[in-house]
Amino acid sequence: MAEHDGVDVQIDNLSSIGRKLLRFNFNDKYRRLVVDGDGDEDARAMLETLKPADLLGVPVTDHNHAAGVLAGMWLWHDWLDEAHRICQAIETPTGSFWHAIMHRREGDFSNSKSWYNRVGEHPVYASIAAHAGTLLNPLPMDKSLVRLTHNGWNPHVLVDLVQEAVRSGDESRKSLLANLQQIEWRMLFDHCVREATARN
């Protein structure tokens, strides 16, 4: 397992290059709420020739989820266009989930919400809510944050909070939201790794 900000990531089914990319400049990754400009050039050099199966160390049993692993890795390293090309071809709730994240991180907030609407009730929402609650519960009461996990995970609230923080420039709020978006990414990435390599 890899761990960051109290969130474990299952890496057992990743290949050596998958593990390397996940750990590459680990502490600096996925901190920007809205990505302006390019991502990590060194990571791009490693990613640009890879196919989804190259990130996994065991045989792929679900190609849509394997594609989600690759889309997620591009997003992890802040390459939005590359992630977009992959996730728009994944016509599943998980593909819509990655698509929604990508648009939020490019600052297209209304489009992000539209893609979250296509996700429906994703199986990782419960895990995101639980991990987010662990992060948020010790903080002073804040109604805007309570809405994130009231009755389960609400990704539309995250979109609104990111939009507000980016516009206001509130650095402490942006830091908290970066931790939350990492939780979201990690739960979805872990789900894709598990499902891509699941045995029937």
Side-chain angles (χ1 to χ4, degrees):
M1 284 189 187
E3 184 176 331
H4 189 257
D5 292 330
V7 181
D8 293 329
V9 181
Q10 297 289 340
I11 62 171
D12 293 344
N13 288 343
L14 292 180
S15 65
S16 59
I17 187 64
R19 292 175 183 164
K20 182 176 180 179
L21 279 161
L22 184 62
R23 291 174 172 149
F24 188 72
N25 293 333
F26 193 73
N27 292 328
D28 299 325
K29 289 300 169 204
Y30 214 70
R31 300 299 304 167
R32 292 190 280 177
L33 295 177
V34 172
V35 177
D36 183 18
D38 291 339
D40 188 306
E41 290 286 355
D42 292 328
R44 180 190 181 93
M46 288 186 273
L47 274 165
E48 60 188 355
T49 61
L50 297 182
K51 296 178 178 65
D54 296 331
L55 292 174
L56 298 161
V58 296
V60 170
T61 56
D62 185 306
H63 292 281
N64 281 325
H65 281 100
V69 173
L70 184 57
M73 196 66 85
W74 279 108
L75 278 174
W76 180 247
H77 293 286
D78 293 339
W79 291 103
L80 304 189
D81 288 345
E82 290 76 6
H84 189 212
R85 280 195 288 274
I86 298 166
C87 65
Q88 69 182 350
I90 308 171
E91 297 180 356
T92 66
T94 295
S96 295
F97 202 157
W98 285 123
H99 208 148
I101 292 172
M102 188 284 305
H103 283 301
R104 189 188 69 228
R105 297 196 72 221
E106 74 172 351
D108 189 351
F109 301 113
S110 61
N111 204 6
S112 176
K113 285 185 172 183
S114 175
W115 282 97
Y116 276 120
N117 285 337
R118 300 184 193 196
V119 174
E121 285 299 317
H122 199 279
V124 302
Y125 280 176
S127 297
I128 296 171
H131 282 88
T134 300
L135 178 67
L136 297 173
N137 289 342
L139 301 178
M141 176 66 174
D142 183 329
K143 289 182 180 177
S144 66
L145 295 176
V146 169
R147 293 184 299 126
L148 274 167
T149 56
H150 182 68
N151 294 325
W153 180 247
N154 189 330
H156 291 85
V157 173
L158 181 60
V159 174
D160 290 338
L161 291 172
V162 168
Q163 185 173 16
E164 291 166 13
V166 169
R167 287 180 177 169
S168 71
D170 183 336
E171 292 303 321
S172 62
R173 179 55 67 95
K174 285 165 73 173
S175 178
L176 173 63
L177 293 172
N179 290 338
L180 287 168
Q181 80 172 5
Q182 284 191 346
I183 290 171
E184 177 192 52
W185 182 91
R186 290 170 184 284
M187 295 299 100
L188 185 56
F189 185 80
D190 192 47
H191 169 80
C192 285
V193 171
R194 279 196 315 271
E195 293 300 315
T197 57
R199 298 290 177 188
N200 294 330

